[in-house]
Amino acid sequence: KGPSDGGAMRLQGRTGIVAGVEGAAGAAIARALAAAGVRLLLLSADEARAGALAAETGGRAVAPDLDLAALG
């Protein structure tokens, strides 16, 4: 590990949650974390986009079907 690794070695094998992946910023963060070896839980108001992004990560992410509107 060193300055040239961009911190990726510290993230490899970690688990993270990214919310708002329906937007460009959230999706970019999720892609970068997945590329660094982080396992992800993706949360989004747009289930289809979250599912597509999870598929794009090659199995590094899941996007559960959550209906938060039911909470009131």
Side-chain angles (χ1 to χ4, degrees):
K1 289 193 277 191
S4 64
D5 74 4
M9 295 299 290
R10 292 185 307 237
L11 295 175
Q12 181 72 32
R14 299 284 184 128
T15 302
I17 300 171
V18 181
V21 298
E22 71 275 5
I29 291 167
R31 286 184 185 102
L33 289 172
V38 178
R39 294 179 307 263
L40 296 170
L41 172 65
L42 305 178
L43 303 176
S44 176
D46 186 331
E47 294 168 17
R49 280 190 177 170
L53 183 59
E56 186 181 312
T57 67
R60 297 223 50 92
V62 295
D65 180 9
L66 301 174
D67 184 8
L68 299 180
L71 297 176

